[in-house]
Amino acid sequence: SIEGWSDLGTTFTYYNPPVLVDISPKSGAVDKNVLVTIKSNKTNNFASTYSGGSFVTDKSAISSEITCRFGDKGTSKATLIDDSTIQCLTPDTHLSKMDVSSIKVRVQVAPNGVDYIDTDQTYTFEGNGVGGVSIWIWLLAILIGLAVLAALIWWVYQSNLRRDRGLGPLSIVPAQHDELMHRIQPQ
């Protein structure tokens, strides 16, 4: 004990931040909880703690609090497979596959369940939607566009048919309007 300080018997564990090297699979359905395997390198792994002035692998110090975070979509507890491998279920996103096309998030790990380590590993939640809009809305827009196109083609066909028969152009203006205009205009 240092003079003026007392030993309360509290111990602290300092984790060497794991360096994530792989995540598998790298994508999965947005509406499913997918089991994701995360691997660290052998030196900076999930069991690397600080003890006696250096970082060592200490399986007894491995926290049952290892947590994975998938961007802003949520967190889940990890299962330690070995010193350099954990597995996490992707969190429930509360999204339907029809609501999104894909959402790419950064995967982070907290060996102590609190302090997340930033990584360059990403996971993509995949759906069937197009750009965040349900595919049904896109299909409805396409059908409306096809209906407008069909109406335009019909109008052009009818105009050409009237012209070929010598009936004059197809007009939205009633036929009486043409007669009135013909009477008013000097011959």
Side-chain angles (χ1 to χ4, degrees):
S1 159
I2 300 174
E3 188 179 325
W5 295 85
S6 59
D7 183 1
L8 299 176
T10 304
T11 58
F12 295 94
T13 302
Y14 296 95
Y15 293 93
N16 190 17
V19 175
L20 304 187
V21 294
D22 189 36
I23 178 173
S24 177
K26 294 187 183 301
S27 64
V30 72
D31 60 347
K32 302 272 190 254
N33 296 108
V34 177
L35 185 64
V36 175
T37 300
I38 301 171
K39 292 195 170 282
S40 70
N41 68 18
K42 298 291 182 189
T43 307
N44 297 73
N45 58 42
F46 299 106
S48 183
T49 60
Y50 188 76
S51 176
S54 64
F55 283 99
V56 296
T57 297
D58 180 6
K59 290 186 182 185
S60 67
I62 296 173
S63 172
S64 62
E65 300 296 317
I66 299 175
T67 307
C68 301
R69 179 165 53 193
F70 293 83
D72 62 352
K73 299 303 167 207
T75 63
S76 66
K77 293 286 184 192
T79 301
L80 185 70
I81 304 303
D82 59 40
D83 294 350
S84 59
T85 307
I86 60 172
Q87 289 183 324
C88 300
L89 280 175
T90 57
D92 187 0
T93 62
H94 305 288
L95 295 170
S96 161
K97 287 177 84 172
M98 300 307 279
D99 292 334
V100 297
S101 58
S102 68
I103 302 170
K104 191 174 196 175
V105 296
R106 186 170 306 281
V107 177
Q108 297 173 309
V109 174
N112 62 1
V114 177
D115 301 309
Y116 286 92
I117 299 157
D118 201 12
T119 70
D120 62 352
Q121 297 295 316
T122 59
Y123 181 83
T124 303
F125 292 96
E126 296 178 341
N128 296 334
V130 181
V133 178
S134 173
I135 195 152
W136 299 112
I137 293 173
W138 285 104
L139 287 174
L140 180 62
I142 289 169
L143 288 174
I144 291 170
L146 288 173
V148 168
L149 182 61
L152 181 62
I153 290 171
W154 178 86
W155 188 79
V156 169
Y157 170 77
Q158 291 296 320
S159 292
N160 288 339
L161 190 62
R162 287 180 62 82
R163 186 194 63 214
D164 292 346
R165 292 183 181 164
L167 299 174
L170 187 62
S171 176
I172 298 173
V173 180
Q176 298 87 359
H177 181 269
D178 287 342
E179 287 180 24
L180 289 173
M181 291 306 290
H182 183 36
R183 289 185 206 162
I184 295 172
Q185 290 178 350
Q187 301 267 341

